[in-house]
Amino acid sequence: MEVDEVVCLPRLSRVAVCGGTHGNELSGVYLVRELLKVKKGVMEKEEEQEEEEPLSVLKVLSNPRAMQQCRRYVDTDLNRCFTHIVSLSPSGLTSGTVPYEMIRSRELNAMLGPKGRSGAVDLVCDLHNTTANMGLCLIAYSDCDWICLHIFRHLQRKMPDIPMRYIHFEVSNKESYSLDSVGKHGFAMEIGPQPHGVVRSNVYTAMKAGVQHMLDWVCFFNSGTLFEGESVDVFTMIKHIDYPRDSETRNITAAVHPHLQDRDFCPLHPEDPLFQTFSGETLRYKGNEPLYPFFINECAYYEKGIALSLARKRRNQL
Amino acid sequence: MEVDEVVCLPRLSRVAVCGGTHGNELSGVYLVRELLKVKKGVMEKEEEQEEEEPLSVLKVLSNPRAMQQCRRYVDTDLNRCFTHIVSLSPSGLTSGTVPYEMIRSRELNAMLGPKGRSGAVDLVCDLHNTTANMGLCLIAYSDCDWICLHIFRHLQRKMPDIPMRYIHFEVSNKESYSLDSVGKHGFAMEIGPQPHGVVRSNVYTAMKAGVQHMLDWVCFFNSGTLFEGESVDVFTMIKHIDYPRDSETRNITAAVHPHLQDRDFCPLHPEDPLFQTFSGETLRYKGNEPLYPFFINECAYYEKGIALSLARKRRNQL
C-alpha cells in the first residue's frame, strides 16, 4: 500500500486449533488435549466478557489412530489429503481398502470446511513439530494473507526470544493439500527441533504461548482494533534437494554436512558444504544463487526425498 | 589390584559389530552398511600384516525388517529377546504367530552365540542411538569386565572431545536380555542426541571413530600389548522413573522439566525440578540422595514407562 488506507475485513468467528495431524508430533497432541480439558478456561473468558458473539474455538485431534500408534500416519500422510479433488469427491472412497487418512480427511473437511465454501471455519491453526532447527514457523500458501501475516507479526512481538519465520509455499488454493487449507485462512505452526515421538517442555511451552497469542490477536481483531501497516520478511519455498542415493538400492549415501546441520535460515552459498558421504567425502551446493535452507534433515522427509528445502527471502509490506 | 600383577587373557579372535538392532537408530545402520562395502579395507589390513591368525570382524545388520520400515521393531523389541531361556529354547517358536524378532533373535544367537557357550564370538559391539543428550556411552552388564573397561579407557583417550561414560546394568548373565550379551564380552555403544529415523553427520562420525578405535584396541591387545592398571568412573543403574500419567487414560501429564532436559549425567538432588506438567506446574525429585540421571526423555522409553534412569557413580580400579 503506497498511501495510508484503512482495509476492513470481516470478523473471525470460528477458529480451529488442530493437533496430531501427524500422530508422532507430540507438542500439538498434548497441547490440544490440554485445551480440551480447559473447557471454558482462560482462552475464551476475556473475550466473552467483551463481545456479544463469543469466539468459537474448535479444538481438534486430527489423526487419533496415528496418535494412538505414535506414528506420523497409519496408511498415508493425512496432511497431503486435502486437495480440492480428493477432499470433496465422494467417488472411490466407498471401498474397504480406502486408506484411513482419506476417510479421516473427509470427516475433517465436513467438520472444518467444506474447503473453499462459505461454511468453512475462518481460520485453521494446525500444530506441527520438526526435527529441524527451525524455531517457530508459520507456513502458509499465501504471502499476502493479511490475517496470517498480522498474526505472525503479533507473535514475533510477543515472543522475542523465539526465532520466528514466515514460510510461503507457492501453491494455488486448488492444489493446496494440507489441513490448514480447509479454512478461509490457515497456517501450520511448525516448531523445532524436537524428535518425533518426544515432547520437550520448552517446545510445548513455546507452542502453548504461540496459540494463546494467536487467539489473543483474533480477539483484538474482532473487537475492531486498527492495525498499523508494517513489513514482514517472507521466505518463499523455491525447491527441494534430496539426499545423494545409491542408484540401485535408493539408500542414502550421505548425511547433511555438519557445517549445514542445524543452520536453517542461514544463507547457503554456491560451493558451501551440503552433504558428507558415509565414506567421509564433502559434497557442495551447486546452485547459482544464495538461498535460505530450511527443513534441514527433517525425519519425515527422508521418504519424500527431501534432505532440505531452499527459499528466497523477500520483505513484504502489509 | 593392590600389587602390580600381570593378568593374561586369551586373544579376541572374533568380534561382531552390529547395527540396526533397533531399525530406526540410523548411525549403526549406515555405519555397518559402510563397513560391509569395505570388504577388506583399512580396518583389518594393518592387523593382518602383523599377525598370523587374522582378526575376524563380523558385520551384522540385526533387524532388517525393522530397518526397512524405519521402526524400532516390527513385533517386539529385539534387544529384549536374548535372555538365556528365550534365546536357547526351541519350544513355542514353531507356530506361525511367533513375533518376528523372536525368530530373528534365534538366528542371531546361532550366528554369534550360542550365548554362554564356548562357540560364541569373543566380543559383541552393538550400535545404538538415543534421543537423550548422553554423548557416547558403553553400556554393559559388568562393572569389572577387563576387556570392556579397557576399550572404554582407550576410546576416552582417543576421542577427548566426545563426552563419554561407562554404564553398568546390574543384571546376571542369565537375566541379560540384549544382543551384546550373546558374546563372551559385549557392550552397547550408545550415542546421542539424535532423533530416531534421522542420521546426523557428527553422530555418525563419532560412532565410526569409536568402532575404529575399538578394533584398534583389540589388535593391540591381540598383539600382546601390556596395559597399565588405571581407574574408570562407572555409572551403575539404580532405578527408573516414569512420567506422571493420567490414572484412567495412562497418557502422560507432564514433560521432563526444562531444567533437567539434556542434563544427562549432571547430579540430580532431592527437590530439584523433575517434570513440568502440561498445565505448567513443577514436580520435584523426591529421592533421598543425589543420583545421576541418564536416558532423559528417550523416545523409545515412553512405552516402557521410563522418563529417565538414575545411576550411582563409583570409581573402579582396573
Side-chain angles (χ1 to χ4, degrees), chain B residues 60-256:
Chain B
V60 181
L61 290 168
S62 314
N63 195 335
R65 279 201 206 168
M67 283 165 46
Q68 204 265 325
Q69 297 177 35
C70 199
R71 292 168 62 181
R72 184 174 176 88
Y73 55 79
V74 177
D75 293 323
T76 190
D77 191 336
L78 176 62
N79 213 31
R80 302 294 180 274
C81 290
F82 295 92
T83 51
H84 187 70
I85 297 151
V86 173
S87 61
L88 296 184
S89 158
S91 64
L93 290 184
T94 47
S95 135
T97 59
V98 177
Y100 166 68
E101 279 82 5
M102 294 293 261
I103 296 165
R104 185 63 185 148
S105 70
R106 296 192 74 204
E107 292 172 0
L108 289 164
N109 187 53
M111 192 189 300
L112 306 178
K115 175 171 171 169
R117 305 286 176 80
S118 61
V121 297
D122 296 303
L123 176 63
V124 173
C125 168
D126 193 27
L127 304 173
H128 288 266
N129 292 120
T130 173
T131 60
N133 185 27
M134 282 169 60
L136 189 158
C137 293
L138 297 198
I139 307 179
Y141 292 113
S142 167
D143 63 348
C144 56
D145 185 303
W146 200 93
I147 299 291
C148 296
L149 286 164
H150 267 279
I151 288 173
F152 174 71
R153 280 297 291 133
H154 182 70
L155 265 59
Q156 270 193 320
R157 262 193 300 267
K158 288 292 178 179
M159 303 166 72
D161 297 339
I162 308 282
M164 215 173 284
R165 283 93 176 188
Y166 188 99
I167 301 175
H168 160 227
F169 275 61
E170 204 158 15
V171 163
S172 75
N173 197 255
K174 265 196 179 178
E175 290 167 324
S176 62
Y177 43 73
S178 55
L179 175 57
D180 53 78
S181 73
V182 170
K184 291 195 185 82
H185 308 271
F187 56 82
M189 185 186 291
E190 181 85 62
I191 313 189
Q194 179 174 271
H196 300 321
V198 161
V199 56
R200 289 176 63 95
S201 206
N202 61 330
V203 174
Y204 174 86
T205 303
M207 187 174 274
K208 192 174 181 179
V211 169
Q212 180 66 66
H213 291 308
M214 181 270 292
L215 293 174
D216 287 349
W217 185 88
V218 172
C219 291
F220 297 146
F221 173 78
N222 283 349
S223 68
T225 307
L226 189 76
F227 296 93
E228 292 292 323
E230 51 186 322
S231 62
V232 176
D233 281 336
V234 171
F235 291 86
T236 297
M237 202 279 283
I238 300 297
K239 62 177 170 183
H240 304 304
I241 296 183
D242 192 11
Y243 297 90
R245 290 179 189 268
D246 182 279
S247 56
E248 275 178 43
T249 63
R250 305 302 300 150
N251 288 332
I252 65 170
T253 56
V256 165

Side-chain angles (χ1 to χ4, degrees), chain B residues 18-71:
Chain B
C18 306
T21 301
H22 295 133
N24 58 0
E25 298 180 10
L26 297 189
S27 307
V29 170
Y30 288 110
L31 179 53
V32 171
R33 278 187 182 150
E34 190 62 26
L35 297 179
L36 285 166
K37 277 191 209 165
V38 190
K39 289 245 159 127
K40 283 289 173 193
V42 184
M43 292 219 167
E44 285 132 282
K45 211 165 50 187
E46 190 185 337
E47 178 272 342
E48 277 180 308
Q49 290 166 344
E50 287 171 16
E51 287 195 62
E52 288 188 8
E53 193 192 339
L55 174 66
S56 156
V57 181
L58 288 83
K59 298 134 190 173
V60 181
L61 290 168
S62 314
N63 195 335
R65 279 201 206 168
M67 283 165 46
Q68 204 265 325
Q69 297 177 35
C70 199
R71 292 168 62 181

Side-chain angles (χ1 to χ4, degrees), chain A residues 167-298:
Chain A
I167 302 174
H168 160 228
F169 275 60
E170 204 158 16
V171 162
S172 75
N173 197 254
K174 266 198 179 176
E175 290 168 325
S176 62
Y177 43 74
S178 56
L179 175 56
D180 54 78
S181 74
V182 170
K184 290 196 186 79
H185 307 270
F187 56 82
M189 185 186 290
E190 181 84 62
I191 313 190
Q194 179 174 271
H196 300 321
V198 161
V199 56
R200 289 176 64 95
S201 206
N202 62 329
V203 174
Y204 174 85
T205 303
M207 186 174 274
K208 192 175 182 179
V211 168
Q212 179 66 67
H213 291 308
M214 181 270 292
L215 292 174
D216 287 348
W217 184 88
V218 172
C219 292
F220 297 146
F221 173 78
N222 284 349
S223 68
T225 307
L226 189 74
F227 296 94
E228 293 292 324
E230 51 186 321
S231 61
V232 176
D233 281 336
V234 171
F235 291 86
T236 297
M237 202 278 282
I238 300 296
K239 61 177 172 184
H240 304 304
I241 296 183
D242 192 11
Y243 296 90
R245 290 180 189 269
D246 182 279
S247 56
E248 275 178 43
T249 62
R250 305 303 300 152
N251 289 332
I252 66 170
T253 56
V256 166
H257 197 280
H259 291 182
L260 177 60
Q261 177 70 50
D262 301 330
R263 306 281 229 125
D264 299 72
F265 300 105
C266 301
L268 180 73
H269 295 93
E271 298 302 326
D272 278 352
L274 196 59
F275 296 107
Q276 190 166 58
T277 69
F278 294 131
S279 56
E281 195 190 343
T282 293
L283 306 178
R284 293 175 182 279
Y285 173 53
K286 293 300 175 193
N288 301 317
E289 58 169 330
L291 290 171
Y292 293 84
F294 65 104
F295 276 129
I296 297 175
N297 206 2
E298 156 57 35

